[in-house]
Structure formats: C-alpha cells, structure tokens
Amino acid sequence: MDYVKAFLVGGGICAVCQIIYDNTKLTSAHILVGLAVLGAVLGGIGIYEPFVEWAGAGALIPVSGFGNSIVAGMLLEVKRLGWLGLFTGAFEVTGLGLASAIIFASGVALLFDPKH
Amino acid sequence: MEKSAYEERSRYQQMVTARTPKPKYAKNIALAYLVGGAICTLAQAVFNAFSGMSLTKLEVSAATLATIIALGAVVTGLGVYDCLAERGGMGAAVPISGFSNTITAAAMDFKREGYLLGMGAKMFVIAGPVIVYGLVGGFVVTLIRLAFAGISG
Amino acid sequence: MAQKRMGAQTIVFGKPPKIIASATLAGPKERDGNFGDYIDTIVDEPMMQEATAEKAERKMLYQVIQESLAKTALQESDINYYIGGDLLNQIISSSYCARDLGIPFIGIYGACSSMVEGLGLGAVMVDGDFADNVLIATSSHYHASERQFRYPIELNIQHKQTSQWTVSGAAAGILTHQGEGPKITHITFGKVVDLGVKQPDLLGAAMAPAASDTLCQHFADTNTTPGDYDLILTGDLGSMGQQLFVDLVKEAGYTLGTKHKDTGADFYKPHQRAGAGGSGCACIALGIMGYVIKEMYQGKYHKILALATGALFSPLSYQQGDSISGIAHGVVIDNT
C-alpha cells in the first residue's frame, strides 16, 4: 500500500508540474523554486509533516519535501535555542541532502565527462 | 509611428501564438507521472529497507534522501538522466534526484573551466535558486508562525 | 548612387566572384540527417579527441579550411583574407583558428547568418580588386553552444518542440576570379528587425520577420520574383519559423511554394529529436557549401537565393528582458 501511495502522490506532484510547464512560459527553474517555497509554506503551517507521514516517499522525494525540511529544521532548533534556531536550523535537516549532493556531484564530475 | 510599431508587434505576437505547436499534453503528463511515480516508488523501497534497521524516523528519511541523491548523481554521470528528463520532463526534474542532477550536471560541465573557478564556483548555478528561495521562504513562514504561536508553539 | 548598387540594400557584382572550392565537415548526428550525403567529411566523434567542446569546434574549423585549400592549387599564403565567425563569445573559434593559419583575419559576427555575411564581404573585396583570394569559413558545435546559450549538457531539461538543435560542424569556401565555380552575383545585406519575441526557445519566430524583410527588399531591389530562382534557401528558421516566414512573405504578396526550403527545418530527420530543426553558423553554411554547390554541379539548380538568418541576442540580454532581434542576409549564387 505504501508503494501505491508513493507512486500516486509523487507521480501526481510531477504531473501537476508538467501541466504548468506545458501551459505557461515558466522554465523548470521557476517551477522547482515555486515548489520548494510551497513545501516550506505548507511545512510552516503544519500541513506538510502529516502529508509525509501519510504519503511516505511520495511527499519526501519531490523538491517540496526539501522546502519542508528547511522549516522542520528551523522549528526543531527554535525549540532548543529560541530565536537563534531560525538561523541554525536552516540546514539542520537539509544539511545532509546538500552535503551528499556536493560530495556525490564532485565525485561523479571527477570521473565522468558530459556526453550528449 | 510609435503606435503602429506597437500594433505590428502585437499582431506578430498573435501570429506566433497561432503557429506555436501545442505540446503533446496527454503524453507529457502520463510520462511525467510515470517517471516521477517510479522514482518515488523506488525511494519508498529504500525507505522501507532503512526502516527495517534500528534508526530513528529522521535518520531513515535522511538515509533515503542521500541514497536517491547518490543515484541521481551516478545516473547523471553515466549520461542517462538527461535522456530520462527529455521524455519524463518534470517527472525527472521534481524528485530530489533531479536536484542532484542539476548540481552534478553543472559540476561536470564547468569542470573544463578549472576545479576552482569552474566546477567549484558554478556547481550551484541551477540548484542555487531552489536553496536560496526555499530558505528565505521557510524563514519568513517560520517567523510568522512564531510571531503568532510563540517560541514554544 | 554607387555603380554597383541596386535599389536600397542590394549590391550587384560587375565581375561576379566564383566559389572555386568548398568543403564541409560535420558529426554523426548530421550524417544521419537529411543533408548527410552532401557533407564531405564526417567525424565519428564530435569531441574530436579534444578536452573541451570549444577546442573541438576550433579543430573542425581548421580541418575544413585545410580541406577547402586542398581542393585548389592555392597555399595558405595565397589567401589574402580569411573572413569568419562563429557563435561563441568573442568568436573564439574563428580567431584561434586564424592564429593557427597565419592568414590576415577579418572576424565577423552575424550569429547563424555569418556565412552569407562573410560571402557578401568577401565578394565585395574580390569584385573590387581588393583581394585575389578570400577564404570564408564558419562553424558551430552543439556542446559549446548549449553551454553558452542554454544549460549544462547533462541537465534534466525537456526541450520545447520549438527549440532547435545546434549543428556540430564547419564549412568553408574560397572566393576568387581565377578558376571555375558557381558565381556570386548579388548580395542583399539585411536590416536588424525585432518584432518583440522574447523566449529563447522561439528563435525561428524571432528571425522570421528579418528573413521576410530582406527577401522582399531583395525582390524589390533586383526586380525579380520567386520564379527567377530555382531555390530559395533560408537558414535556420526551423519548422515553426519557416511557417511564419511563409506567412509574412505571402502577406507581402509573394508565393514561394515548393521553391522554398529551410536548412534548419530540413536538417534532421523527425526521429532525431532535434525539436524544430537545426541551427548554428554551420547550419546554412553546410546547406550552401554542401547541398547547394553539389546540386549545382549535378545540374539540379542553376540560380539560387540563399537567405541566412541570425538571432542577435545574448543570454545576458534576454535575462534582462530584452527581446530577440533577427537579421537576414541574402546572396544569389548563379551557375549558368
């Protein structure tokens, strides 16, 4: 069942973005930024976390999950440090994603050249 | 004179709009759904595998994201991810593997201008805005939430 | 008015210079396209065993120039001037190639119209007795252009149906009075025309008004009609741009019918995933130096008008919200 939900929700988010891409002049960069901000907003008003609980990877993997993770980290750190947490928390959860992206991207870039 | 130039431009804009081919909506949406859904299903399998280990919820999510990011980078290196995106469109761009692809693709490309000022400086040329506006947006939303609910909320 | 002028924008040559030699070179994707049989040299590896796409483009250009010289009895030192351009910033492909050649170099930039711009300037020099032999060469490379104008190669981008694929290749021609070859009889240098297209994936649409403007001006200046030519070859409007071009020309009162071909729209086959077709400095250059010249020797065409179009913009200008300007230059090549 969790596989079905992941497929339907994750695919659904991508399909909605495709509809926007095909029907507007927005580039994919615009859409990805919009989706990340949307995830952050939904995280801020407390909707995205339950959504991830329910849909699993279908909500975690789209880039909206990245926006939500930024807010989730801030909220975690705010509990611990107060207002300072707004700054220390930004990369609390997303830091892992960014660090792994930088490390894997650097490693791959050392090994491979562009092809097509 | 000014007005006629303006009219000529807007008339031509209409001609351009009329001649712009319509995207294959149904095919594009179906492929985006399929590719995006498949990546998320794969991620769910990874998620379930990590859930079997004695990890906290946050650690499971983190490990899943790192795995998909690594896969995205490797598939990009093999020269396959752009082909996947050419067909799957947003289905390949929206998942975190696509985020990883933007960083890896930029790193591979700008490597030619040197490791420091090329690869190092320009790695986030596409992914940068997502991080910047995700963070700024998240900051503003969290600030507003705290203003209303207080720090303990 | 100057003796060799005709109408508002056209130059007519008293002693029409001849294209005594031409050479073309391109990669495997171009070989598989519709003009594949007209390309002299096919390189299997578009990167040319070089470390970067920019170096590869330069090497293609150098090689095609050597091949064009080899078809004549001329040495590098016999060439008075080398006129060339390409798409890369500060036309580095042409200027580094010129460094290796040691021929006096006149660098030009007309985006994808550079080949005809160069042919026009070269013909003026030869006709005016300012030069005996002039070399014209242009090049483009998919990887190098994609990096400069668009995105990293491996990025997850779904191209729009209207976007075009930069041709990886190079072409060269030698103009002189000595020897035999198709003659350049007229050149119509075009105005920069901008009807406000802003999207960089609609380059064909941005260039179509310029192509139509130059074509109609050419007909008016030379008092000719489409019936006077065996072929009107535009380049690189692409499938959408050529439709708009035909619409605009029809509004001006000319029907082109089957006489019109667009090198961009025809360059690749439908299954090659090239969007609206080919583009780049090599696109119409391969069309003229490959397809047209070879078909002229075969007797299929006797008199043609080649109308090369260029989109004059940079990534900086469109990011700042400027619209994309177009230009088109027309050249009449006559083998009768």
Side-chain angles (χ1 to χ4, degrees):
Chain A
M1 188 59 200
D2 48 356
Y3 289 110
V4 177
K5 278 195 284 194
F7 183 84
L8 290 180
V9 173
I13 294 173
C14 297
V16 170
C17 291
Q18 184 70 37
I19 292 172
I20 299 170
Y21 184 68
D22 280 345
N23 286 290
T24 64
K25 286 176 186 173
L26 296 178
T27 65
S28 73
H30 287 100
I31 296 171
L32 293 180
V33 167
L35 192 62
V37 173
L38 182 71
V41 171
L42 293 178
I45 57 179
I47 295 178
Y48 209 91
E49 256 339 293
F51 182 45
V52 175
E53 283 294 318
W54 179 74
L60 185 70
I61 294 299
V63 81
S64 47
F66 179 80
N68 170 59
S69 299
I70 289 177
V71 173
M74 286 179 181
L75 291 174
L76 267 177
E77 284 286 284
V78 164
K79 276 204 178 105
R80 197 166 68 88
L81 293 171
W83 293 102
L84 203 57
L86 277 173
F87 299 90
T88 58
F91 297 121
E92 172 76 15
V93 182
T94 50
L96 172 125
L98 290 176
S100 52
I102 292 173
I103 288 162
F104 292 124
S106 305
V108 166
L110 291 179
L111 295 174
F112 297 97
D113 285 316
K115 287 182 189 64
H116 305 103
Chain B
M1 186 61 204
E2 265 309 296
K3 184 143 190 271
S4 74
Y6 174 77
E7 276 168 6
E8 197 186 357
R9 279 186 168 207
S10 50
R11 199 182 68 85
Y12 187 63
Q13 277 302 323
Q14 287 169 6
M15 288 173 73
V16 171
T17 311
R19 283 291 190 191
T20 306
K22 294 275 164 287
K24 296 174 179 119
Y25 293 114
K27 187 184 164 205
N28 285 358
I29 294 169
L31 278 172
Y33 209 118
L34 201 68
V35 171
I39 294 172
C40 292
T41 311
L42 174 71
Q44 187 68 48
V46 175
F47 188 91
N48 291 354
F50 282 118
S51 297
M53 300 172 197
S54 54
L55 297 169
T56 67
K57 195 94 184 171
L58 201 63
E59 286 167 342
V60 172
S61 300
T64 308
L65 285 173
T67 310
I68 299 300
I69 285 168
L71 274 176
V74 171
V75 174
T76 303
L78 295 173
V80 177
Y81 209 91
D82 62 327
C83 305
L84 190 68
E86 196 57 69
R87 291 163 183 79
M90 285 294 137
V94 165
I96 202 74
S97 51
F99 181 76
S100 162
N101 161 269
T102 62
I103 299 166
T104 313
M108 285 164 72
D109 225 66
F110 291 110
K111 170 172 77 162
R112 273 86 179 260
E113 280 78 58
Y115 288 103
L116 208 68
L117 296 177
M119 183 173 127
K122 293 186 176 161
M123 194 180 255
F124 284 93
V125 72
I126 317 281
V130 174
I131 300 170
V132 169
Y133 292 106
L135 202 151
V136 171
F139 182 86
V140 172
V141 171
T142 314
L143 196 67
I144 293 171
R145 175 176 166 160
L146 296 183
F148 278 100
I151 282 193
S152 56
Chain C
M1 195 161 85
Q3 279 181 5
K4 292 177 180 177
R5 289 191 64 78
M6 210 178 197
Q9 287 172 227
T10 302
I11 292 167
V12 54
F13 296 108
K15 298 178 286 174
K18 296 170 197 148
I19 305 172
I20 56 155
S22 69
T24 49
L25 179 150
K29 185 163 175 130
E30 288 68 32
R31 171 196 61 210
D32 298 338
N34 290 315
F35 292 110
D37 295 341
Y38 300 96
I39 300 169
D40 298 332
T41 310
I42 298 290
V43 292
D44 294 327
E45 175 50 62
M47 290 301 284
M48 307 287 288
Q49 287 85 44
E50 291 287 339
T52 74
E54 291 75 11
K55 290 192 207 306
E57 178 174 336
R58 219 171 284 169
K59 195 170 177 182
M60 285 182 170
L61 189 57
Y62 185 82
Q63 193 172 327
V64 88
I65 289 171
Q66 293 301 339
E67 283 171 16
S68 70
L69 283 169
K71 288 182 182 180
T72 68
L74 300 171
Q75 305 295 314
E76 278 177 29
S77 54
D78 298 323
I79 304 291
N80 300 124
Y81 299 104
Y82 157 35
I83 303 178
D86 56 88
L87 290 176
L88 302 186
N89 287 342
Q90 289 79 36
I91 53 169
I92 50 171
S93 304
S94 303
S95 37
Y96 281 109
C97 190
R99 176 189 66 185
D100 296 342
L101 284 167
I103 303 171
F105 169 58
I106 301 167
I108 56 171
Y109 185 81
C112 311
S113 70
S114 298
M115 176 47 89
V116 170
E117 185 180 356
L119 280 175
L121 292 172
V124 168
M125 298 179 96
V126 173
D127 179 63
D129 284 329
F130 300 109
D132 290 318
N133 308 305
V134 177
L135 167 77
I136 293 109
T138 60
S139 63
S140 57
H141 196 287
Y142 170 74
H143 276 218
S145 294
E146 200 70 6
R147 301 188 59 194
Q148 179 178 307
F149 288 97
R150 301 185 183 96
Y151 301 106
I153 301 295
E154 298 290 344
L155 191 70
N156 59 54
I157 285 293
Q158 186 174 44
H159 291 92
K160 302 265 181 183
Q161 277 164 288
T162 52
S163 60
Q164 289 170 252
W165 186 282
T166 305
V167 172
S168 298
I174 295 170
L175 284 182
T176 174
H177 280 311
Q178 314 298 323
E180 289 305 315
K183 295 188 284 286
I184 293 185
T185 58
H186 300 74
I187 175 93
T188 306
F189 286 117
K191 293 181 196 159
V192 176
V193 180
D194 188 337
L195 288 186
V197 174
K198 287 192 170 176
Q199 299 97 298
D201 50 13
L202 293 179
L203 291 183
M207 298 186 291
S212 154
D213 187 78
T214 303
L215 181 69
C216 296
Q217 190 65 51
H218 175 83
F219 286 150
D221 286 353
T222 58
N223 201 17
T224 53
T225 64
D228 294 312
Y229 302 98
D230 300 327
L231 171 73
I232 293 170
L233 186 76
T234 54
D236 44 357
L237 293 170
S239 53
M240 178 188 167
Q242 79 167 351
Q243 288 174 347
L244 284 161
F245 166 72
V246 170
D247 291 348
L248 289 168
V249 172
K250 192 173 266 174
E251 280 179 7
Y254 298 104
T255 310
L256 301 178
T258 52
K259 296 234 160 143
H260 171 239
K261 251 182 194 291
D262 183 70
T263 37
D266 290 349
F267 210 94
Y268 297 106
K269 291 178 177 158
H271 70 270
Q272 288 186 290
R273 289 188 169 271
S279 67
C281 291
C283 187
I284 192 152
L286 289 170
I288 294 172
M289 294 302 168
Y291 176 73
V292 167
I293 300 242
K294 287 200 171 138
E295 288 293 4
M296 276 188 160
Y297 281 121
Q298 296 294 318
K300 183 174 175 186
Y301 298 129
H302 301 290
K303 188 179 179 189
I304 71 113
L305 170 62
L307 204 58
T309 53
L312 302 177
F313 76 113
S314 79
L316 186 118
S317 71
Y318 82 74
Q319 281 172 357
Q320 293 183 350
D322 289 312
S323 53
I324 297 166
S325 305
I327 193 162
H329 303 301
V331 61
V332 178
I333 305 175
D334 191 331
N335 198 30
T336 47

